[in-house]
Structure formats: structure tokens, C-alpha cells
């Protein structure tokens, strides 16, 4: 258990940069997610920490030790692969014992530690089985037991839940959080799934194009996105473009054709072009006019039901369309296309950020 | 797969083809039991005399011994070289992996006689002609493609993360290979080795150019016996060779799922 520090780490393949000058500190026992779309460099960072990929520049420290030039077997790291990578020719017990055996462990204490690791993932009775005799979720848990058994200083996860079906994924997410809290191992978790990253992590590091976009606690990432990329990547945002009409506390964005939207904290200069992000779930619907920072009248253009939520496409008088998500049990859950409706948005839920680094 | 029962006509035709292919084998086996002192079909009488003669004849015994030593040595050498080559090709450790693969497979494609002549010239040039080591080398060259091919097939079925997992868990490169990759390619390696062994055991075209008189292998002895006028002992020793080969291949199929690699 140690803090993990990356300083000015870069990776280029030929002349193509994949990771550009990344500096990142993960405190001892902290759970950090690297979140981003595929190709953003997050897996490359994880593989550099594991020693499976050599950085082109920069240094990596675990605790006080510089591990930049150490081979993977000297780094004392636990890694859970996307494919689990369980050894198919070894039993579950031997899979979990693999790391301990490499440390030269044997005897009674050794078996006890293997069994302890298996018990932690609730597979105490499965030691004699082979990986192919286990379900996907069980294989996943063996992979975790194998990674934690040698008591690594840092635990790495490479999209470990992406091969599981949705229901199992939720269960494993809870299990993982419980396990990490129990062991308090410094953890780096790579994922492209924002809900996974937000719910598991102490801090989330959002990446795009090999660059860190924002490194902050989940609440900040969600409520106070630092860049247009983060605002567009997290949640389900509507995006409008406009120009800043007023900044600071008097945040106003002119979106054209008479539509002005109030935003709580606009840092951009007055007159500069910005992207405006309003999350689908941050818009409240009302059939009667109500006072709000932003109260917009519109017409329902489309309705779609998806179980817990209903989504509407609402057309504003100037032709702009916004997608609105509302609980399917709520008051405005059954509006027919053509109905007049009022959209209420708090200024704090409107993000106006310089128009660059779009996710899509 | 679409499991459709073949019709009667197709089945019987297939059976006929199989029977046709087995006729030479059946003829040889039957001839080995004949009481006559010349080869004849159908055999006249029934005796095990020729088998006894083969198994007591020092010429045959020496040929069997030389063949076995040669085949075992060549197979072992091929295993070491073939696994190393296949691993390097699979991991793309060298530029031009495809070219190297084709090059290693060449002995399968070039007619054996050509390989034999070429090796004879080469070994004469470097003064190794007639040495047993040269013969082992030659057999290694013709058997290594089988190992490379079957091991490559095994390697391509292995998740590349497995070796990485072993390394992260504290194994250095060589132990990761020994503890994870090697056990996983074992079926392919065993299949390739058995095929290499059988190929070496039965090789005539290359051996005949390189073997000195004191290194007569079993197939060479059979070959020359047939030229010199035959008695059923040739058929008897051939039968023994057929049975031994069949047993080896059956074991290979049982143990390693041989058909997946050939």
C-alpha cells in the first residue's frame, strides 16, 4: 500500500502520441478511476504503471521507489485484466497461489493466505475447480483474489466489469467497492463507463486524447465540469452553442434567435463563443408556468418510455430541440406529442464552457 | 456445423475410397505371414517365422536402433528449435515474421530429393559427409516445420494477457513462459513432436543421400532389401513399422487431439 505518482508521463508510438504529459498522484488507499472514451490513453497509462508498456518520457513512483525502469515482476502490483486472464491449466487455488509462490511462499501460512483471499471474494469452496468450470462473475472474483493475494502495493483494474451482463455488473461493482474499502489498497481503475467511475471512486480522472481533462471527486466531475469535453462526456447533456452576454455571477449566454440562458458561473470573456450544456436529467417539466432561473416554454415533439424514465424531445419557439429525462412515475410523465410544456432549469445546472475538445 | 446425414451412395463411395487407400497396407501385412520364402499374395499358409527372423536378425535390429536414435534426437532438436522459432514468430520479435515462417516451412514444400541433394553437397563442402551428426541435422531440418506449425496453432489460441498476468504476479520472462505458455502449448507440441518422429522414422529420400553404410536406417534397409530380392521378412518388418506408427498416432489423438494440429 503506497501512493502512486506519475510525473510528466508520455507515450508515443512512432511519432503518434497516445499519452501526453500526464501527471497524476493517487494517495495511499485512494480509489481513482481513469475515465474516457476508447483511445484516450487510459489503458496505456495502466499498462505503463504495470510495467507492460515502457513510457517514452516521465517517471512513475510507487511509494518512495522509482519503478519507471523496473520489469513488471519487480513492481508488486495486482492487475485484474479485462479478459480476467486466469490460467486455464491451473485450479482456482493454484491461480490465486501463483503470485505467492513467486514470492517463494510455501507451507501452512501460504495455504491459509490463499484460502483467505478466496474467502474474501466468497469463493472459499471453489479452490479445486478449474476456471472453465466457473461463471463469468466467479471468474472475475478469482481474478480479484489472485490480484490481492500477494498483497500488492497498488491494485490496477483494466475495464474488469465490461464483459459482464448489466445485472452482474451492478453486483460486482458493490463487491468491488466493499473489497477495496476493506483492504484499503491504492487502486487505479480504468473504465469507459461513467456510472462505474462515479460510483466507485474517491476521485475520477477524465481523459481525452491523451490529456487529463479533469481530476476531481465524482461530485465535482458531475456538477462542476472543468472542460467542454467533461461536460459533454458525463451525464446525458444537451449541447447548444452561443456567445457570452454576461459572465461571472451574472452569467448569461445568448443562444441566438431570442434565446438567452442563465448560467451560474461563466468564466469565459463576454462576447466569446461557448458551448452550453444542460443535462437531460437537470431539466424539470411543468405544465404551468413557474419561476426559475431559466423558464422556457416549448412543445413536446416526441416521447419515449424506457422503464424508470421517460424521455421527451421538446421544441423551443426558436426551433432548438432539447431532450428531457423525467422519472416515469412523476407528474409530467404522460404528455402527448404536441402538448405545451414549461422547462425549468436552475442556473447552477447550466455549464457554459469554451467551445473545444468535444466528445462527439 | 450443419449435421446432415450423407446419403447411402455417398457413404458407400467414401467406404470404397478408404478401402482402396488401405489396399497396399493390407497386402503388405498379409504378405508378412506367408510360409513361402518369397513375397506372395494371397499368403500361402500362416506363420510368424518372418517376424521372429526380423527380431533376431542383427542387420534389422541395428537398423531399428539407428532409426530410433536418429528419430528421437531429431525430434528433440526440432522441439527446442521449433518452439523457440514459433514463439519468436508469434510474438513478432523479428521483422519479416511471415517470410521467416515461409522459410521454415520450405522443407515441406521443396521435394525431399532436392533437400537431400542440397544437404549432401553442403555437408560434403564442410567435411561433415557421412557423420551421424549431419544426419541428425538433416532430419531436424525436415521435421522442424511440423513442430513450428502445430506450436504456432497452439500459440494463436492463447490469450496474450496470460503471460502478462504471470509477469505482473512476479514471474520473470523465462518463468512466465515455463509456467504458463509451455503447459498451454503442450498439446500442440506433443502432436508436432509425434508427427516429426514418424516423419523421421520413415524418411528415405533425404537419408539415402546422407547415410553412410554403417548408418543404415530401417526404411533404407527395407528399400534396399526390396531391390535385392525379397523374402517376407521385409513385409514383416514393414508390418511392425505400420503397427508402431498406428499406435503412436492413436496415442497422439487420444492425448493431444492430434487432428486439430495436422
Amino acid at each position: 500500500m503506497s501512493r502512486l505518482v506519475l510525473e510528466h508521463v508520455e507515450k508515443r508510438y512512432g511519432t503518434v502520441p497516445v499519452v501526453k504529459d500526464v501527471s497524476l498522484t493517487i494517495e495511499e488507499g485512494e480509489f481513482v478511476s481513469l475515465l474516457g472514451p476508447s483511445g484516450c490513453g487510459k489503458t496505456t497509462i495502466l499498462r505503463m504503471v504495470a510495467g507492460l508498456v515502457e513510457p517514452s518520457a516521465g517517471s512513475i513512483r510507487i511509494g518512495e521507489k522509482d519503478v519507471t525502469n523496473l520489469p513488471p515482476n519487480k513492481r508488486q502490483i495486482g492487475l485484474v485484466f479485462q479478459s480476467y486472464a486466469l490460467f486455464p491449466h491451473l485450479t482456482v487455488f493454484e491461480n490465486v497461489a501463483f503470485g505467492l509462490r513467486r514470492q517463494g511462499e510455501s507451507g501452512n501460512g501460504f495455504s491459509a493466505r490463499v484460502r483467505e483471499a478466496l474467502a474474501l471474494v466468497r469463493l472459499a469452496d471453489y479452490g479445486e475447480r478449474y476456471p472453465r468450470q466457473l461463471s463469468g462473475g466467479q471468474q472475475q472474483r478469482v481474478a480479484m483474489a489472485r490480484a490481492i493475494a500477494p498483497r500488492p502495493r497498488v491494485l490496477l483494474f483494466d475495464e474488469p466489469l465490461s464483459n459482464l451482463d448489466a445485472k452482474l455488473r451492478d453486483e460486482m461493482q458493490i463487491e468491488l467497492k466493499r473489497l477495496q474499502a476493506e483492504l484499503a489498497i491504492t487502486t487505479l481503475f480504468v473504465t469507459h463507463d461513467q456510472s462505474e467511475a462515479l460510483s466507485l471512486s474517491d476521485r475520477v480522472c477524465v481523459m481525452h486524447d491523451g490529456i487529463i481533462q479533469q481530476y476531481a471527486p465524482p461530485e465535482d466531475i458531475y456538477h462542476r465540469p472543468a472542460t467542454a469535453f467533461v461536460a459533454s462526456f458525463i451525464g446525458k447533456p444537451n449541447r447548444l452553442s452561443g456567445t457570452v452576454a454576461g459572465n461571472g455571477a451574472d452569467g448569461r449566454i445568448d443562444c441566438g434567435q431570442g434565446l438567452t440562458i442563465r448560467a451560474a458561473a461563466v468564466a469565459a470573456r463576454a462576447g466569446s463563443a461557448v458551448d452550453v450544456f444542460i443535462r437531460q436529467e437537470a431539466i424539470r417539466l411543468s405544465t404551468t408556468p413557474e419561476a426559475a432561473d431559466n423558464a422556457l416554454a416549448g412543445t413536446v415533439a416526441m416521447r419515449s418510455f424506457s422503464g424508470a424514465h421517460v424521455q421527451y424531445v421538446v421544441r423551443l419557439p426558436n426551433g432548438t430541440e432539447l431532450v428531457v429525462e423525467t422519472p416515469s412515475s412523476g407528474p409530467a410523465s404522460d404528455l402527448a406529442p404536441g402538448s405545451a410544456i414549461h422547462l425549468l432549469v436552475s442556473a447552477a445546472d447550466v455549464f457554459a464552457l469554451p467551445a473545444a475538445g468535444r466528445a462527439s | 456445423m450443419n449435421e446432415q446425414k450423407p446419403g447411402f451412395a455417398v457413404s458407400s463411395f467414401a467406404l470404397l475410397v478408404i478401402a482402396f487407400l488401405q489396399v497396399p497396407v493390407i497386402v503388405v501385412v498379409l504378405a508378412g505371414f506367408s510360409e513361402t520364402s518369397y513375397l506372395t499374395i494371397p499368403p500361402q499358409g500362416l506363420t510368424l517365422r518372418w517376424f521372429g527372423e526380423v527380431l533376431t536378425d542383427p542387420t534389422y535390429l541395428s537398423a531399428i536402433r539407428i532409426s530410433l536414435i536418429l528419430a528421437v534426437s531429431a525430434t528433440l532438436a526440432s522441439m527446442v528449435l521449433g518452439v523457440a522459432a514459433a514463439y519468436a514468430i508469434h510474438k513478432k520479435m523479428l521483422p519479416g515474421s511471415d517470410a521467416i515462417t515461409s522459410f521454415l516451412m520450405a522443407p515441406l514444400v521443396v521435394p525431399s530429393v532436392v533437400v537431400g541433394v542440397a544437404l549432401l553437397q553442403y555437408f560434403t563442402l564442410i567435411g561433415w559427409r557421412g557423420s551421424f551428426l549431419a544426419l541428425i541435422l538433416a532430419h531436424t531440418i525436415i521435421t522442424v516445420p511440423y513442430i513450428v506449425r502445430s506450436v504456432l496453432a497452439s500459440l494463436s489460441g492463447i490469450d496474450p494477457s496470460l503471460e502478462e498476468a504471470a509477469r505482473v504476479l512476479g514471474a520473470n520472462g523465462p518463468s512466465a513462459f515455463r509456467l504458463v505458455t509451455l503447459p498451454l502449448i503442450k498439446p500442440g507440441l506433443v502432436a508436432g513432436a509425434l508427427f516429426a518422429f514418424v516423419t523421421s522414422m520413415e524418411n528415405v529420400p533425404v537419408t539415402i543421400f546422407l547415410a553412410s553404410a554403417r548408418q543404415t536406417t530401417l526404411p533404407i534397409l527395407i528399400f534396399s532389401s526390396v531391390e535385392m530380392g525379397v523374402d517376407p521378412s521385409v513385409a514383416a518388418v514393414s508390418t511392425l513399422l505400420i503397427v508402431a506408427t498406428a499406435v503412436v498416432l492413436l496415442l497422439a489423438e487420444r492425448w493431444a487431439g492430434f487432428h486439430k494440429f495436422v
Side-chain angles (χ1 to χ4, degrees):
Chain A
M1 272 165 272
S2 311
R3 78 207 278 253
L4 170 66
V5 181
L6 281 75
E7 269 174 359
H8 305 294
V9 170
E10 287 187 31
K11 180 65 196 175
R12 290 179 297 273
Y13 288 105
T15 55
V16 185
V18 183
V19 172
K20 305 169 193 163
D21 193 18
V22 163
S23 296
L24 184 71
T25 299
I26 303 177
E27 297 300 337
E28 187 161 330
E30 196 181 17
F31 193 119
V32 168
S33 289
L34 276 181
L35 173 66
S38 57
C40 72
K42 56 191 194 297
T43 297
T44 307
I45 290 181
L46 174 130
R47 292 175 65 82
M48 286 192 285
V49 174
L52 299 169
V53 167
E54 205 180 324
S56 308
S59 71
I60 300 170
R61 283 204 316 275
I62 297 175
E64 291 311 306
K65 198 168 170 191
D66 187 325
V67 299
T68 317
N69 296 311
L70 283 184
N73 48 317
K74 300 249 166 77
R75 294 195 181 195
Q76 293 176 273
I77 271 175
L79 172 51
V80 177
F81 288 84
Q82 184 170 16
S83 62
Y84 315 145
L86 298 178
F87 305 128
H89 60 299
L90 300 178
T91 59
V92 166
F93 183 93
E94 283 302 324
N95 263 281
V96 176
F98 195 95
L100 291 169
R101 286 201 195 279
R102 303 285 82 68
Q103 294 174 351
E105 299 278 338
S106 58
N108 284 337
F110 156 78
S111 309
R113 278 176 69 184
V114 174
R115 277 196 297 273
E116 184 192 333
L118 279 173
L120 261 177
V121 297
R122 290 185 275 147
L123 285 174
D125 301 329
Y126 288 74
E128 299 312 308
R129 305 258 188 119
Y130 281 89
R132 62 173 178 277
Q133 297 167 312
L134 302 180
S135 69
Q138 288 169 334
Q139 291 185 20
Q140 169 71 76
R141 297 200 324 248
V142 175
M144 280 197 230
R146 185 178 68 175
I148 59 178
R151 299 190 187 147
R153 281 143 54 93
V154 173
L155 200 48
L156 307 173
F157 290 91
D158 185 11
E159 310 226 7
L161 306 180
S162 61
N163 286 339
L164 300 174
D165 59 59
K167 195 163 168 286
L168 203 52
R169 189 154 54 219
D170 290 347
E171 282 175 36
M172 285 308 299
Q173 214 168 303
I174 293 166
E175 188 125 337
L176 218 154
K177 192 159 190 171
R178 181 182 61 84
L179 204 63
Q180 204 270 343
E182 219 163 292
L183 300 166
I185 301 181
T186 311
T187 300
L188 181 63
F189 186 94
V190 163
T191 181
H192 63 265
D193 183 321
Q194 49 170 300
S195 71
E196 219 166 86
L198 294 175
S199 69
L200 287 170
S201 319
D202 297 318
R203 279 195 286 174
V204 177
C205 177
V206 182
M207 291 203 58
H208 179 55
D209 264 350
I211 293 171
I212 295 179
Q213 298 283 322
Q214 187 172 8
Y215 183 33
E219 282 80 3
D220 284 1
I221 297 278
Y222 189 82
H223 290 301
R224 285 171 286 282
T227 68
F229 175 81
V230 178
S232 66
F233 188 69
I234 303 292
K236 294 184 226 163
N238 291 285
R239 176 166 54 207
L240 308 170
S241 31
T243 30
V244 178
N247 56 11
D250 176 36
R252 276 174 299 121
I253 315 298
D254 178 5
C255 295
Q257 292 162 318
L259 177 62
T260 300
I261 294 179
R262 293 191 163 277
V266 179
R269 271 185 306 107
S272 61
V274 287
D275 278 346
V276 178
F277 300 93
I278 307 170
R279 298 231 167 83
Q280 296 175 16
E281 62 271 29
I283 304 177
R284 210 154 57 76
L285 290 172
S286 168
T287 45
T288 52
E290 276 183 46
D293 296 343
N294 293 289
L296 311 167
T299 337
V300 173
M302 225 168 87
R303 171 184 185 268
S304 77
F305 173 79
S306 63
H309 295 103
V310 173
Q311 282 178 321
Y312 293 106
V313 176
V314 176
R315 187 172 295 127
L316 301 181
N318 74 342
T320 306
E321 287 188 342
L322 293 178
V323 182
V324 181
E325 187 180 83
T326 190
S328 61
S329 53
S333 62
D334 197 17
L335 299 168
S339 318
I341 190 74
H342 297 274
L343 309 183
L344 311 167
V345 188
S346 152
D349 292 328
V350 177
F351 312 120
L353 294 154
R358 300 182 171 191
S360 51
Chain B
M1 210 189 287
N2 189 6
E3 290 273 344
Q4 204 178 8
K5 284 258 180 212
F8 175 73
V10 177
S11 314
S12 26
F13 182 70
L15 275 176
L16 266 176
V17 171
I18 291 169
F20 176 75
L21 290 174
Q22 296 308 314
V23 165
V25 174
I26 294 162
V27 166
V28 167
V29 171
L30 288 180
F33 292 94
S34 178
E35 276 177 8
T36 54
S37 60
Y38 48 90
L39 272 181
T40 177
I41 289 294
Q44 295 172 14
L46 193 66
T47 175
L48 287 174
R49 173 181 150 210
W50 303 109
F51 287 89
E53 225 157 79
V54 165
L55 293 173
T56 49
D57 181 341
T59 320
Y60 273 120
L61 287 180
S62 143
I64 290 172
R65 197 173 59 87
I66 287 171
S67 274
L68 282 175
I69 294 173
L70 179 59
V72 168
S73 318
T75 303
L76 288 177
S78 286
M79 284 166 82
V80 174
L81 295 175
V83 169
Y87 189 74
I89 290 167
H90 180 72
K91 295 265 163 167
K92 307 244 184 298
M93 287 175 174
L94 299 165
S97 293
D98 290 339
I100 294 171
T101 313
S102 314
F103 181 73
L104 286 171
M105 296 300 169
L108 284 183
V109 185
V110 177
S112 300
V113 177
V114 176
V115 176
V117 173
L119 287 173
L120 177 63
Q121 285 199 327
Y122 176 65
F123 287 135
T124 308
L125 217 66
I126 62 170
W128 282 24
R129 184 176 172 184
S131 88
F132 194 58
L133 188 64
L135 197 56
I136 293 175
L137 266 176
H139 275 228
T140 305
I141 290 167
I142 55 173
T143 54
V144 89
Y146 298 104
I147 310 252
V148 170
R149 203 165 62 159
S150 62
V151 171
L152 268 179
S154 285
L155 282 171
S156 68
I158 298 178
D159 178 357
S161 311
L162 289 177
E163 242 181 57
E164 292 178 350
R167 300 219 53 201
V168 171
L169 286 165
N172 60 21
S175 353
F177 176 79
R178 182 173 53 85
L179 294 166
V180 175
T181 308
L182 195 56
L184 293 175
I185 60 172
K186 202 167 79 185
L189 179 57
V190 169
L194 288 169
F195 212 77
F197 180 82
V198 170
T199 302
S200 167
M201 269 309 274
E202 62 168 26
N203 181 274
V204 172
V206 173
T207 318
I208 206 159
F209 284 102
L210 301 171
S212 69
R214 282 178 294 109
Q215 299 160 359
T216 307
T217 63
L218 186 57
I220 300 288
L221 183 62
I222 294 171
F223 199 67
S224 49
S225 308
V226 172
E227 274 184 331
M228 288 196 294
V230 264
D231 67 38
S233 60
V234 172
V237 76
S238 303
T239 305
L240 290 175
L241 196 56
I242 290 165
V243 170
T245 311
V247 167
V248 166
L249 290 181
L250 271 173
L251 285 178
E253 176 60 40
R254 264 297 172 83
W255 196 22
F258 195 44
H259 64 271
K260 281 180 281 185
F261 299 97
V262 191

